[in-house]
Amino acid sequence: MFGQPRFVEQNSQLNAAFERARPLVAVHRGTGLGTIAENTQPAVEAALRQGAEMVEIDVVESTDGEFFLFHDGYEPMHFGIQENIRTLDAASIRALEYRWCSTASNEAYRVATLDEVLRQNPNALFNVDRSWWYWERLLPYLDSYDVMGRAVLKSPVDREPLELLAAHPVKYPFAPMVRSHEDVLRVLEYTEINTVGMELLAEGPDHDFASPDYVAWLHSRGLFALLNAINLSNRVPLFCGWDDETSVLADPDSGWGRLIGLGADIIQTDWPGLLVPYRNAVLQGAPAGMLASQ
């Protein structure tokens, strides 16, 4: 069981998912492929249809207080504009069109609202990213939805979001992004936060985090290890280079397999259609190189 015993009810849905499969597969921004845009309801649905147990989403707030799904900084690519979406009001965000795709009925492809995605996926687990700037308003907003046990929040190890989370009466599961053991200990000082795990960031295999002993230590504290296989555009390894590109283009045993062998409880990927069957085969005792040989 992950999380403090006193938060067992709050974490029951998450822990039930771990009983069904481990590591869980979390999909980065949903599956945005072909004519499906990332961070949209179709992307969430596509990820879940490929067998993922969790979907990572990015949240932005309009200047007049509405919440949408988008990773700011990608506006020129998706919309052909230079403005940061966080500087726009809700009406302006609703008017944006993904310029490279449309819906099946040839209507404009719009930015998804957080309300839309939460309501249309009542049983899905979400990893909520890039939202901590808005927690003073977002946390009360989430309280009005039935997401307490299935929305895992994340943030850097900064004082302001940690204090906001500690003070909030609804104890959402929390898995911060940590880069050192000192970061882990700093988070654990906040006993009023429902910390259930850690998103471990390690550029190379000589990092403390790249050890089964460290993951075992986290488990002894009731914490899961979320490891990243995703590749970002800056090319900086998020976890030792044991990533999606290695797994898809070379040998999955050298990428996803190493994360599983380390004891990962959640693997974040952009390739659930390949990782899910690989994970399932490994758990069933398939021989090494199973996917690469197909």
Side-chain angles (χ1 to χ4, degrees), residues 83-277:
E83 294 92 341
N84 187 294
I85 196 171
R86 295 168 63 188
T87 68
L88 303 179
D89 61 22
S92 298
I93 293 175
R94 286 192 170 87
L96 294 173
E97 300 179 14
Y98 286 93
R99 62 180 184 170
W100 47 272
C101 59
S102 62
T103 65
S105 58
N106 208 34
E107 298 175 355
Y109 209 136
R110 305 291 186 183
V111 180
T113 65
L114 180 57
D115 173 81
E116 167 194 0
V117 168
L118 294 180
R119 289 186 185 280
Q120 292 191 41
N121 301 280
N123 299 310
L125 296 174
F126 289 103
N127 185 14
V128 183
D129 195 7
R130 296 182 67 79
S131 69
W132 52 88
W133 299 287
Y134 325 115
W135 278 359
E136 188 172 2
R137 298 169 298 281
L138 179 61
L139 295 178
Y141 176 88
L142 291 176
D143 293 348
S144 64
Y145 294 83
D146 184 23
V147 296
M148 184 270 293
R150 59 189 185 89
V152 180
L153 303 181
K154 64 189 288 186
S155 80
V157 183
D158 295 335
R159 181 180 59 83
E160 184 174 356
L162 293 177
E163 291 186 353
L164 282 170
L165 204 56
H168 192 68
V170 178
K171 299 303 179 182
Y172 293 98
F174 179 57
M177 299 173 286
V178 295
R179 298 180 180 276
S180 67
H181 183 58
E182 289 72 25
D183 281 350
V184 173
L185 296 179
R186 191 173 303 120
V187 173
L188 295 181
E189 292 175 0
Y190 289 83
T191 57
E192 292 304 310
I193 295 178
N194 178 17
T195 303
V196 293
M198 300 284 169
E199 180 174 329
L200 304 178
L201 302 176
E203 290 190 16
D206 57 342
H207 196 287
D208 290 344
F209 291 163
S211 163
D213 290 340
Y214 197 86
V215 175
W217 180 83
L218 289 178
H219 290 167
S220 74
R221 301 295 300 265
L223 302 169
F224 64 66
L226 188 161
L227 305 184
N228 278 289
I230 62 175
N231 301 91
L232 298 180
S233 57
N234 62 12
R235 314 301 297 175
V236 175
L238 294 178
F239 202 86
C240 302
W242 304 339
D243 53 31
D244 283 341
E245 287 192 5
T246 297
S247 303
V248 173
L249 300 177
D251 177 9
D253 295 330
S254 298
W256 301 327
R258 297 193 73 169
L259 300 180
I260 294 172
L262 196 66
D265 302 292
I266 302 175
I267 297 176
Q268 182 169 227
T269 184
D270 284 312
W271 294 85
L274 295 178
L275 174 53
V276 169

